[in-house]
Amino acid sequence: MHCTAFATADEYHLENLSQDLTSSGYVEVTSLPTDAANILVMGVESSAKEGDPGTIFFFREGAAVFWNVKDKTMKQVMQILERHEVQPYEIALVHWENEELNYMKIEGQSKLHRGEIKLNSELDIDDAILEKFAFSNALCLSVKLAIWEATLDKFIESIQSIPEALKAGKKVKLSHKEAMQKMGELFALRHRINLSSDFLITPDFYWDRENLEELYDKTCQFLSITRRVKVMNEKLQHCMELTDLMRNHLNEKRALRLEWMIVILITIEVMFELGRVFF
């Protein structure tokens, strides 16, 4: 069986999405604990393969994780999802930066082994949903991070000509407004990664659920979340230094231009005074 994750937007309107999906024949799973906030779980009528019910996890942060769901059903759900997205991503990017893991039911404790999820077949439905939630939570982080990695790579591509121009002593064609805009993009991306997401800490939900925390942490390790965040922050720091250098350079040019304007005005005033004295 397959578990597939997509990050499609910055955020979802989960309340409206729940109503829309329910009216389309999907069934909401309401057995999650109250501290599992910002999550919507829906069941599907027919699963892709026998042995496990099809389940979909929607995270408010803009990611969806499909467990044993048919491709046709997945496509239908994604179309409904489009109506409830805030700042949607490019469709090609969404499908390129997805995560897919195989999973199977086994006897014994659930675990992630060699890139394959193994779920305890003896669990009741509620506990099985919780374990799927832990795996899905890590997959959600991975696909969101993948989108931001692609965004940063695109940003780096847009400024890669600047160091070469500086090295060659050429004039950099970048206005003060554009430099500030670039810095704003970097700060926004850095804020998302380090302050408004769970990349750097384990969510509070897992503090008193050690078995779920272990599944979550193991999946994050397998997906190299911590290492990828570290690499992104190093790239962001380098980009910040470069854009800060450009901003200082442009400020110096502006200050020099103002100084010359003052000198010219003073010169004109002196010439008028001299003309009035001698003529």
Side-chain angles (χ1 to χ4, degrees):
M1 294 175 283
H2 298 292
C3 171
T4 309
F6 299 95
T8 68
D10 279 349
E11 189 178 340
Y12 295 150
H13 293 301
L14 292 184
E15 295 77 13
N16 297 336
L17 175 61
S18 174
Q19 295 175 8
D20 206 351
L21 288 170
T22 302
S23 64
S24 299
Y26 299 93
V27 181
E28 183 173 357
V29 178
T30 57
S31 59
L32 279 176
T34 54
D35 56 341
N38 300 320
I39 176 76
L40 171 66
V41 185
M42 304 296 292
V44 301
E45 289 186 0
S46 57
S47 53
K49 294 182 179 180
E50 295 182 0
D52 193 49
T55 314
I56 311 170
F57 291 80
F58 299 96
F59 293 84
R60 191 178 297 277
E61 295 87 351
V65 185
F66 299 82
W67 291 77
N68 198 26
V69 176
K70 294 178 180 178
D71 289 341
K72 182 180 178 181
T73 305
M74 197 182 303
K75 187 176 180 180
Q76 291 172 346
V77 171
M78 295 284 271
Q79 289 175 345
I80 296 172
L81 189 58
E82 288 177 2
R83 301 197 288 267
H84 306 282
E85 294 174 341
V86 179
Q87 298 294 326
Y89 305 139
E90 295 177 12
I91 295 176
L93 183 62
V94 168
H95 288 278
W96 180 260
E97 298 295 349
N98 73 326
E99 290 281 1
E100 183 173 304
L101 295 178
N102 294 330
Y103 80 97
M104 62 185 295
K105 290 292 190 77
I106 62 165
E107 294 182 0
Q109 191 173 1
S110 299
K111 58 185 176 181
L112 179 70
H113 182 67
R114 294 184 178 179
E116 186 174 55
I117 297 171
K118 300 183 183 296
L119 293 176
N120 185 350
S121 60
E122 299 173 353
L123 292 176
D124 60 34
I125 295 176
D126 291 348
D127 288 336
I129 288 290
L130 281 175
E131 291 198 345
K132 285 182 179 179
F133 170 75
F135 287 116
S136 299
N137 203 172
L139 287 166
C140 165
L141 291 183
S142 182
V143 289
K144 287 293 288 187
L145 185 57
I147 294 291
W148 293 338
E149 286 169 334
T151 302
L152 180 56
D153 288 342
K154 188 175 180 180
F155 179 89
I156 291 172
E157 187 178 343
S158 72
I159 63 169
Q160 65 181 2
S161 61
I162 295 176
E164 294 299 324
L166 292 173
K167 179 181 176 181
K170 297 178 181 178
K171 184 179 179 180
V172 177
K173 296 180 180 179
L174 188 71
S175 67
H176 186 269
K177 181 181 178 180
E178 290 171 334
M180 294 302 294
Q181 187 177 5
K182 294 289 186 186
M183 291 194 72
E185 291 177 24
L186 286 175
F187 274 117
L189 191 55
R190 201 169 193 175
H191 176 83
R192 288 174 182 172
I193 295 169
N194 295 296
L195 298 179
S196 64
S197 65
D198 293 323
F199 289 124
L200 302 180
I201 58 171
T202 301
D204 296 349
F205 176 80
Y206 299 106
W207 285 6
D208 57 349
R209 299 177 174 93
E210 293 184 5
N211 62 318
L212 297 181
E213 182 179 6
E214 183 179 355
L215 297 178
Y216 171 81
D217 287 340
K218 289 288 185 183
T219 311
C220 286
Q221 290 174 18
F222 173 74
L223 297 168
S224 305
I225 299 293
T226 303
R227 181 185 61 79
R228 288 161 64 190
V229 170
K230 182 180 178 182
V231 170
M232 271 202 77
N233 274 319
E234 289 174 354
K235 288 183 177 181
L236 281 166
Q237 183 60 36
H238 173 74
C239 291
M240 289 293 295
E241 291 173 359
L242 181 58
T243 52
D244 197 41
L245 173 66
M246 286 307 305
R247 187 188 62 169
N248 291 335
H249 174 66
L250 292 169
N251 284 339
E252 288 175 4
K253 285 179 65 177
R254 177 182 286 184
L256 183 62
R257 188 161 58 246
L258 287 173
E259 288 175 7
W260 274 107
M261 289 174 66
I262 293 170
V263 169
I264 291 170
L265 288 173
I266 292 173
T267 302
I268 292 173
E269 186 177 355
V270 169
M271 290 177 67
F272 271 114
E273 288 297 321
L274 289 173
R276 193 173 66 177
V277 170
F278 291 105
F279 300 101

PDB file of all heavy atoms in Angstrom, residues 11-44:
ATOM      1  N   GLU A  11      -1.647  27.565   3.345  1.00  0.00           N
ATOM      2  CA  GLU A  11      -2.609  27.270   4.417  1.00  0.00           C
ATOM      3  C   GLU A  11      -3.912  26.745   3.816  1.00  0.00           C
ATOM      4  O   GLU A  11      -4.225  27.012   2.657  1.00  0.00           O
ATOM      5  CB  GLU A  11      -2.881  28.547   5.227  1.00  0.00           C
ATOM      6  CG  GLU A  11      -3.694  28.353   6.487  1.00  0.00           C
ATOM      7  CD  GLU A  11      -3.877  29.660   7.253  1.00  0.00           C
ATOM      8  OE1 GLU A  11      -3.081  30.599   7.031  1.00  0.00           O
ATOM      9  OE2 GLU A  11      -4.826  29.743   8.056  1.00  0.00           O
ATOM     10  N   TYR A  12      -4.669  25.985   4.635  1.00  0.00           N
ATOM     11  CA  TYR A  12      -6.007  25.514   4.246  1.00  0.00           C
ATOM     12  C   TYR A  12      -7.061  26.101   5.190  1.00  0.00           C
ATOM     13  O   TYR A  12      -6.797  26.281   6.384  1.00  0.00           O
ATOM     14  CB  TYR A  12      -6.115  23.986   4.343  1.00  0.00           C
ATOM     15  CG  TYR A  12      -5.252  23.196   3.410  1.00  0.00           C
ATOM     16  CD1 TYR A  12      -4.784  21.933   3.768  1.00  0.00           C
ATOM     17  CD2 TYR A  12      -4.896  23.680   2.153  1.00  0.00           C
ATOM     18  CE1 TYR A  12      -3.989  21.179   2.924  1.00  0.00           C
ATOM     19  CE2 TYR A  12      -4.104  22.940   1.293  1.00  0.00           C
ATOM     20  CZ  TYR A  12      -3.645  21.685   1.691  1.00  0.00           C
ATOM     21  OH  TYR A  12      -2.858  20.950   0.844  1.00  0.00           O
ATOM     22  N   HIS A  13      -8.255  26.349   4.649  1.00  0.00           N
ATOM     23  CA  HIS A  13      -9.422  26.663   5.474  1.00  0.00           C
ATOM     24  C   HIS A  13     -10.090  25.326   5.816  1.00  0.00           C
ATOM     25  O   HIS A  13     -10.953  24.842   5.085  1.00  0.00           O
ATOM     26  CB  HIS A  13     -10.387  27.575   4.725  1.00  0.00           C
ATOM     27  CG  HIS A  13      -9.849  28.947   4.457  1.00  0.00           C
ATOM     28  ND1 HIS A  13      -9.444  29.788   5.469  1.00  0.00           N
ATOM     29  CD2 HIS A  13      -9.646  29.624   3.297  1.00  0.00           C
ATOM     30  CE1 HIS A  13      -9.014  30.940   4.946  1.00  0.00           C
ATOM     31  NE2 HIS A  13      -9.116  30.854   3.638  1.00  0.00           N
ATOM     32  N   LEU A  14      -9.691  24.728   6.926  1.00  0.00           N
ATOM     33  CA  LEU A  14     -10.116  23.363   7.247  1.00  0.00           C
ATOM     34  C   LEU A  14     -11.615  23.257   7.500  1.00  0.00           C
ATOM     35  O   LEU A  14     -12.245  22.247   7.143  1.00  0.00           O
ATOM     36  CB  LEU A  14      -9.348  22.843   8.461  1.00  0.00           C
ATOM     37  CG  LEU A  14      -7.852  22.586   8.267  1.00  0.00           C
ATOM     38  CD1 LEU A  14      -7.260  21.991   9.541  1.00  0.00           C
ATOM     39  CD2 LEU A  14      -7.604  21.646   7.090  1.00  0.00           C
ATOM     40  N   GLU A  15     -12.209  24.267   8.129  1.00  0.00           N
ATOM     41  CA  GLU A  15     -13.634  24.194   8.448  1.00  0.00           C
ATOM     42  C   GLU A  15     -14.465  24.114   7.166  1.00  0.00           C
ATOM     43  O   GLU A  15     -15.361  23.259   7.035  1.00  0.00           O
ATOM     44  CB  GLU A  15     -14.051  25.418   9.286  1.00  0.00           C
ATOM     45  CG  GLU A  15     -13.394  25.488  10.671  1.00  0.00           C
ATOM     46  CD  GLU A  15     -11.951  25.957  10.626  1.00  0.00           C
ATOM     47  OE1 GLU A  15     -11.523  26.470   9.550  1.00  0.00           O
ATOM     48  OE2 GLU A  15     -11.242  25.784  11.636  1.00  0.00           O
ATOM     49  N   ASN A  16     -14.187  24.996   6.219  1.00  0.00           N
ATOM     50  CA  ASN A  16     -14.922  24.971   4.946  1.00  0.00           C
ATOM     51  C   ASN A  16     -14.602  23.722   4.143  1.00  0.00           C
ATOM     52  O   ASN A  16     -15.473  23.156   3.473  1.00  0.00           O
ATOM     53  CB  ASN A  16     -14.588  26.220   4.124  1.00  0.00           C
ATOM     54  CG  ASN A  16     -15.020  27.501   4.810  1.00  0.00           C
ATOM     55  OD1 ASN A  16     -15.929  27.480   5.638  1.00  0.00           O
ATOM     56  ND2 ASN A  16     -14.388  28.607   4.473  1.00  0.00           N
ATOM     57  N   LEU A  17     -13.350  23.275   4.210  1.00  0.00           N
ATOM     58  CA  LEU A  17     -12.936  22.068   3.496  1.00  0.00           C
ATOM     59  C   LEU A  17     -13.695  20.854   4.028  1.00  0.00           C
ATOM     60  O   LEU A  17     -14.138  19.999   3.250  1.00  0.00           O
ATOM     61  CB  LEU A  17     -11.427  21.860   3.647  1.00  0.00           C
ATOM     62  CG  LEU A  17     -10.849  20.568   3.058  1.00  0.00           C
ATOM     63  CD1 LEU A  17     -11.085  20.496   1.555  1.00  0.00           C
ATOM     64  CD2 LEU A  17      -9.352  20.466   3.362  1.00  0.00           C
ATOM     65  N   SER A  18     -13.854  20.775   5.341  1.00  0.00           N
ATOM     66  CA  SER A  18     -14.573  19.665   5.959  1.00  0.00           C
ATOM     67  C   SER A  18     -16.015  19.593   5.445  1.00  0.00           C
ATOM     68  O   SER A  18     -16.510  18.518   5.090  1.00  0.00           O
ATOM     69  CB  SER A  18     -14.574  19.829   7.487  1.00  0.00           C
ATOM     70  OG  SER A  18     -15.379  18.841   8.083  1.00  0.00           O
ATOM     71  N   GLN A  19     -16.683  20.736   5.393  1.00  0.00           N
ATOM     72  CA  GLN A  19     -18.066  20.776   4.907  1.00  0.00           C
ATOM     73  C   GLN A  19     -18.148  20.362   3.438  1.00  0.00           C
ATOM     74  O   GLN A  19     -19.048  19.606   3.041  1.00  0.00           O
ATOM     75  CB  GLN A  19     -18.638  22.182   5.094  1.00  0.00           C
ATOM     76  CG  GLN A  19     -18.763  22.613   6.553  1.00  0.00           C
ATOM     77  CD  GLN A  19     -19.207  24.056   6.691  1.00  0.00           C
ATOM     78  OE1 GLN A  19     -19.559  24.712   5.717  1.00  0.00           O
ATOM     79  NE2 GLN A  19     -19.191  24.565   7.914  1.00  0.00           N
ATOM     80  N   ASP A  20     -17.205  20.856   2.652  1.00  0.00           N
ATOM     81  CA  ASP A  20     -17.199  20.557   1.216  1.00  0.00           C
ATOM     82  C   ASP A  20     -16.983  19.064   0.962  1.00  0.00           C
ATOM     83  O   ASP A  20     -17.652  18.439   0.132  1.00  0.00           O
ATOM     84  CB  ASP A  20     -16.116  21.388   0.532  1.00  0.00           C
ATOM     85  CG  ASP A  20     -16.427  21.653  -0.943  1.00  0.00           C
ATOM     86  OD1 ASP A  20     -17.385  21.046  -1.454  1.00  0.00           O
ATOM     87  OD2 ASP A  20     -15.716  22.466  -1.572  1.00  0.00           O
ATOM     88  N   LEU A  21     -16.027  18.473   1.688  1.00  0.00           N
ATOM     89  CA  LEU A  21     -15.729  17.052   1.510  1.00  0.00           C
ATOM     90  C   LEU A  21     -16.880  16.175   2.016  1.00  0.00           C
ATOM     91  O   LEU A  21     -17.210  15.158   1.404  1.00  0.00           O
ATOM     92  CB  LEU A  21     -14.433  16.687   2.242  1.00  0.00           C
ATOM     93  CG  LEU A  21     -13.132  17.203   1.617  1.00  0.00           C
ATOM     94  CD1 LEU A  21     -11.961  16.978   2.562  1.00  0.00           C
ATOM     95  CD2 LEU A  21     -12.857  16.532   0.277  1.00  0.00           C
ATOM     96  N   THR A  22     -17.487  16.578   3.122  1.00  0.00           N
ATOM     97  CA  THR A  22     -18.616  15.810   3.673  1.00  0.00           C
ATOM     98  C   THR A  22     -19.788  15.798   2.690  1.00  0.00           C
ATOM     99  O   THR A  22     -20.423  14.761   2.477  1.00  0.00           O
ATOM    100  CB  THR A  22     -19.058  16.408   5.022  1.00  0.00           C
ATOM    101  OG1 THR A  22     -17.954  16.402   5.934  1.00  0.00           O
ATOM    102  CG2 THR A  22     -20.194  15.591   5.627  1.00  0.00           C
ATOM    103  N   SER A  23     -20.037  16.957   2.079  1.00  0.00           N
ATOM    104  CA  SER A  23     -21.129  17.034   1.105  1.00  0.00           C
ATOM    105  C   SER A  23     -20.815  16.237  -0.167  1.00  0.00           C
ATOM    106  O   SER A  23     -21.717  15.917  -0.939  1.00  0.00           O
ATOM    107  CB  SER A  23     -21.411  18.498   0.744  1.00  0.00           C
ATOM    108  OG  SER A  23     -20.293  19.088   0.097  1.00  0.00           O
ATOM    109  N   SER A  24     -19.524  15.913  -0.372  1.00  0.00           N
ATOM    110  CA  SER A  24     -19.121  15.128  -1.547  1.00  0.00           C
ATOM    111  C   SER A  24     -19.040  13.630  -1.252  1.00  0.00           C
ATOM    112  O   SER A  24     -18.585  12.856  -2.096  1.00  0.00           O
ATOM    113  CB  SER A  24     -17.761  15.623  -2.067  1.00  0.00           C
ATOM    114  OG  SER A  24     -17.833  16.989  -2.456  1.00  0.00           O
ATOM    115  N   GLY A  25     -19.438  13.232  -0.036  1.00  0.00           N
ATOM    116  CA  GLY A  25     -19.502  11.809   0.288  1.00  0.00           C
ATOM    117  C   GLY A  25     -18.382  11.277   1.153  1.00  0.00           C
ATOM    118  O   GLY A  25     -18.346  10.075   1.457  1.00  0.00           O
ATOM    119  N   TYR A  26     -17.452  12.134   1.575  1.00  0.00           N
ATOM    120  CA  TYR A  26     -16.366  11.681   2.445  1.00  0.00           C
ATOM    121  C   TYR A  26     -16.804  11.787   3.902  1.00  0.00           C
ATOM    122  O   TYR A  26     -17.650  12.606   4.254  1.00  0.00           O
ATOM    123  CB  TYR A  26     -15.104  12.504   2.185  1.00  0.00           C
ATOM    124  CG  TYR A  26     -14.601  12.370   0.764  1.00  0.00           C
ATOM    125  CD1 TYR A  26     -14.999  13.275  -0.216  1.00  0.00           C
ATOM    126  CD2 TYR A  26     -13.759  11.329   0.407  1.00  0.00           C
ATOM    127  CE1 TYR A  26     -14.561  13.145  -1.540  1.00  0.00           C
ATOM    128  CE2 TYR A  26     -13.310  11.190  -0.907  1.00  0.00           C
ATOM    129  CZ  TYR A  26     -13.726  12.103  -1.867  1.00  0.00           C
ATOM    130  OH  TYR A  26     -13.297  11.959  -3.165  1.00  0.00           O
ATOM    131  N   VAL A  27     -16.197  10.971   4.752  1.00  0.00           N
ATOM    132  CA  VAL A  27     -16.611  10.895   6.155  1.00  0.00           C
ATOM    133  C   VAL A  27     -15.494  11.425   7.053  1.00  0.00           C
ATOM    134  O   VAL A  27     -14.355  10.956   6.981  1.00  0.00           O
ATOM    135  CB  VAL A  27     -16.940   9.438   6.556  1.00  0.00           C
ATOM    136  CG1 VAL A  27     -17.397   9.376   8.015  1.00  0.00           C
ATOM    137  CG2 VAL A  27     -18.004   8.856   5.632  1.00  0.00           C
ATOM    138  N   GLU A  28     -15.838  12.406   7.914  1.00  0.00           N
ATOM    139  CA  GLU A  28     -14.836  12.965   8.814  1.00  0.00           C
ATOM    140  C   GLU A  28     -14.576  12.027   9.991  1.00  0.00           C
ATOM    141  O   GLU A  28     -15.505  11.495  10.600  1.00  0.00           O
ATOM    142  CB  GLU A  28     -15.271  14.334   9.332  1.00  0.00           C
ATOM    143  CG  GLU A  28     -14.224  14.992  10.218  1.00  0.00           C
ATOM    144  CD  GLU A  28     -14.553  16.416  10.610  1.00  0.00           C
ATOM    145  OE1 GLU A  28     -15.593  16.937  10.148  1.00  0.00           O
ATOM    146  OE2 GLU A  28     -13.773  17.004  11.371  1.00  0.00           O
ATOM    147  N   VAL A  29     -13.311  11.840  10.319  1.00  0.00           N
ATOM    148  CA  VAL A  29     -12.910  11.037  11.475  1.00  0.00           C
ATOM    149  C   VAL A  29     -12.728  11.992  12.647  1.00  0.00           C
ATOM    150  O   VAL A  29     -11.871  12.883  12.609  1.00  0.00           O
ATOM    151  CB  VAL A  29     -11.593  10.282  11.199  1.00  0.00           C
ATOM    152  CG1 VAL A  29     -11.159   9.498  12.430  1.00  0.00           C
ATOM    153  CG2 VAL A  29     -11.749   9.352   9.998  1.00  0.00           C
ATOM    154  N   THR A  30     -13.520  11.820  13.682  1.00  0.00           N
ATOM    155  CA  THR A  30     -13.520  12.774  14.805  1.00  0.00           C
ATOM    156  C   THR A  30     -12.923  12.200  16.077  1.00  0.00           C
ATOM    157  O   THR A  30     -13.109  12.740  17.155  1.00  0.00           O
ATOM    158  CB  THR A  30     -14.960  13.236  15.091  1.00  0.00           C
ATOM    159  OG1 THR A  30     -15.772  12.084  15.366  1.00  0.00           O
ATOM    160  CG2 THR A  30     -15.546  13.985  13.904  1.00  0.00           C
ATOM    161  N   SER A  31     -12.199  11.092  15.961  1.00  0.00           N
ATOM    162  CA  SER A  31     -11.697  10.407  17.159  1.00  0.00           C
ATOM    163  C   SER A  31     -10.339  10.931  17.636  1.00  0.00           C
ATOM    164  O   SER A  31      -9.812  10.451  18.638  1.00  0.00           O
ATOM    165  CB  SER A  31     -11.586   8.901  16.882  1.00  0.00           C
ATOM    166  OG  SER A  31     -10.710   8.659  15.783  1.00  0.00           O
ATOM    167  N   LEU A  32      -9.773  11.911  16.925  1.00  0.00           N
ATOM    168  CA  LEU A  32      -8.467  12.443  17.349  1.00  0.00           C
ATOM    169  C   LEU A  32      -8.601  13.195  18.669  1.00  0.00           C
ATOM    170  O   LEU A  32      -9.633  13.823  18.929  1.00  0.00           O
ATOM    171  CB  LEU A  32      -7.908  13.382  16.285  1.00  0.00           C
ATOM    172  CG  LEU A  32      -7.212  12.750  15.078  1.00  0.00           C
ATOM    173  CD1 LEU A  32      -6.809  13.830  14.098  1.00  0.00           C
ATOM    174  CD2 LEU A  32      -5.993  11.951  15.494  1.00  0.00           C
ATOM    175  N   PRO A  33      -7.556  13.174  19.513  1.00  0.00           N
ATOM    176  CA  PRO A  33      -7.588  13.937  20.774  1.00  0.00           C
ATOM    177  C   PRO A  33      -7.744  15.434  20.510  1.00  0.00           C
ATOM    178  O   PRO A  33      -7.377  15.929  19.438  1.00  0.00           O
ATOM    179  CB  PRO A  33      -6.228  13.622  21.404  1.00  0.00           C
ATOM    180  CG  PRO A  33      -5.767  12.366  20.753  1.00  0.00           C
ATOM    181  CD  PRO A  33      -6.319  12.384  19.371  1.00  0.00           C
ATOM    182  N   THR A  34      -8.241  16.147  21.499  1.00  0.00           N
ATOM    183  CA  THR A  34      -8.493  17.590  21.339  1.00  0.00           C
ATOM    184  C   THR A  34      -7.209  18.390  21.145  1.00  0.00           C
ATOM    185  O   THR A  34      -7.233  19.469  20.559  1.00  0.00           O
ATOM    186  CB  THR A  34      -9.241  18.139  22.564  1.00  0.00           C
ATOM    187  OG1 THR A  34      -8.506  17.802  23.757  1.00  0.00           O
ATOM    188  CG2 THR A  34     -10.637  17.551  22.648  1.00  0.00           C
ATOM    189  N   ASP A  35      -6.071  17.874  21.637  1.00  0.00           N
ATOM    190  CA  ASP A  35      -4.813  18.618  21.474  1.00  0.00           C
ATOM    191  C   ASP A  35      -4.162  18.371  20.116  1.00  0.00           C
ATOM    192  O   ASP A  35      -3.099  18.921  19.829  1.00  0.00           O
ATOM    193  CB  ASP A  35      -3.824  18.294  22.598  1.00  0.00           C
ATOM    194  CG  ASP A  35      -3.532  16.809  22.733  1.00  0.00           C
ATOM    195  OD1 ASP A  35      -4.337  16.002  22.233  1.00  0.00           O
ATOM    196  OD2 ASP A  35      -2.505  16.456  23.349  1.00  0.00           O
ATOM    197  N   ALA A  36      -4.784  17.546  19.281  1.00  0.00           N
ATOM    198  CA  ALA A  36      -4.314  17.383  17.899  1.00  0.00           C
ATOM    199  C   ALA A  36      -5.005  18.439  17.044  1.00  0.00           C
ATOM    200  O   ALA A  36      -5.913  18.160  16.259  1.00  0.00           O
ATOM    201  CB  ALA A  36      -4.624  15.990  17.387  1.00  0.00           C
ATOM    202  N   ALA A  37      -4.575  19.685  17.232  1.00  0.00           N
ATOM    203  CA  ALA A  37      -5.236  20.817  16.580  1.00  0.00           C
ATOM    204  C   ALA A  37      -4.734  20.992  15.144  1.00  0.00           C
ATOM    205  O   ALA A  37      -3.716  20.420  14.745  1.00  0.00           O
ATOM    206  CB  ALA A  37      -4.980  22.093  17.378  1.00  0.00           C
ATOM    207  N   ASN A  38      -5.468  21.799  14.382  1.00  0.00           N
ATOM    208  CA  ASN A  38      -5.075  22.164  13.019  1.00  0.00           C
ATOM    209  C   ASN A  38      -4.926  20.956  12.094  1.00  0.00           C
ATOM    210  O   ASN A  38      -4.032  20.906  11.250  1.00  0.00           O
ATOM    211  CB  ASN A  38      -3.766  22.970  13.037  1.00  0.00           C
ATOM    212  CG  ASN A  38      -3.895  24.242  13.841  1.00  0.00           C
ATOM    213  OD1 ASN A  38      -4.925  24.911  13.777  1.00  0.00           O
ATOM    214  ND2 ASN A  38      -2.862  24.584  14.589  1.00  0.00           N
ATOM    215  N   ILE A  39      -5.806  19.987  12.286  1.00  0.00           N
ATOM    216  CA  ILE A  39      -5.755  18.772  11.476  1.00  0.00           C
ATOM    217  C   ILE A  39      -7.180  18.328  11.149  1.00  0.00           C
ATOM    218  O   ILE A  39      -8.078  18.441  11.982  1.00  0.00           O
ATOM    219  CB  ILE A  39      -4.981  17.643  12.232  1.00  0.00           C
ATOM    220  CG1 ILE A  39      -4.985  16.319  11.455  1.00  0.00           C
ATOM    221  CG2 ILE A  39      -5.563  17.430  13.608  1.00  0.00           C
ATOM    222  CD1 ILE A  39      -4.045  16.296  10.306  1.00  0.00           C
ATOM    223  N   LEU A  40      -7.377  17.868   9.930  1.00  0.00           N
ATOM    224  CA  LEU A  40      -8.657  17.311   9.508  1.00  0.00           C
ATOM    225  C   LEU A  40      -8.386  15.922   8.943  1.00  0.00           C
ATOM    226  O   LEU A  40      -7.498  15.757   8.090  1.00  0.00           O
ATOM    227  CB  LEU A  40      -9.302  18.207   8.442  1.00  0.00           C
ATOM    228  CG  LEU A  40     -10.550  17.658   7.734  1.00  0.00           C
ATOM    229  CD1 LEU A  40     -11.712  17.527   8.721  1.00  0.00           C
ATOM    230  CD2 LEU A  40     -10.934  18.559   6.562  1.00  0.00           C
ATOM    231  N   VAL A  41      -9.134  14.928   9.432  1.00  0.00           N
ATOM    232  CA  VAL A  41      -8.957  13.552   8.963  1.00  0.00           C
ATOM    233  C   VAL A  41     -10.256  13.094   8.306  1.00  0.00           C
ATOM    234  O   VAL A  41     -11.329  13.197   8.898  1.00  0.00           O
ATOM    235  CB  VAL A  41      -8.593  12.591  10.125  1.00  0.00           C
ATOM    236  CG1 VAL A  41      -8.300  11.201   9.582  1.00  0.00           C
ATOM    237  CG2 VAL A  41      -7.402  13.123  10.905  1.00  0.00           C
ATOM    238  N   MET A  42     -10.142  12.597   7.075  1.00  0.00           N
ATOM    239  CA  MET A  42     -11.315  12.141   6.324  1.00  0.00           C
ATOM    240  C   MET A  42     -11.107  10.698   5.872  1.00  0.00           C
ATOM    241  O   MET A  42     -10.002  10.306   5.484  1.00  0.00           O
ATOM    242  CB  MET A  42     -11.553  13.025   5.100  1.00  0.00           C
ATOM    243  CG  MET A  42     -11.717  14.508   5.392  1.00  0.00           C
ATOM    244  SD  MET A  42     -13.173  14.923   6.377  1.00  0.00           S
ATOM    245  CE  MET A  42     -14.491  14.542   5.229  1.00  0.00           C
ATOM    246  N   GLY A  43     -12.195   9.932   5.911  1.00  0.00           N
ATOM    247  CA  GLY A  43     -12.163   8.571   5.407  1.00  0.00           C
ATOM    248  C   GLY A  43     -12.808   8.499   4.029  1.00  0.00           C
ATOM    249  O   GLY A  43     -13.700   9.297   3.716  1.00  0.00           O
ATOM    250  N   VAL A  44     -12.344   7.573   3.197  1.00  0.00           N
ATOM    251  CA  VAL A  44     -12.907   7.409   1.853  1.00  0.00           C
ATOM    252  C   VAL A  44     -13.696   6.095   1.793  1.00  0.00           C
ATOM    253  O   VAL A  44     -13.452   5.181   2.579  1.00  0.00           O
ATOM    254  CB  VAL A  44     -11.808   7.427   0.768  1.00  0.00           C
ATOM    255  CG1 VAL A  44     -11.027   8.732   0.817  1.00  0.00           C
ATOM    256  CG2 VAL A  44     -10.851   6.246   0.940  1.00  0.00           C
TER     257      VAL A  44
END
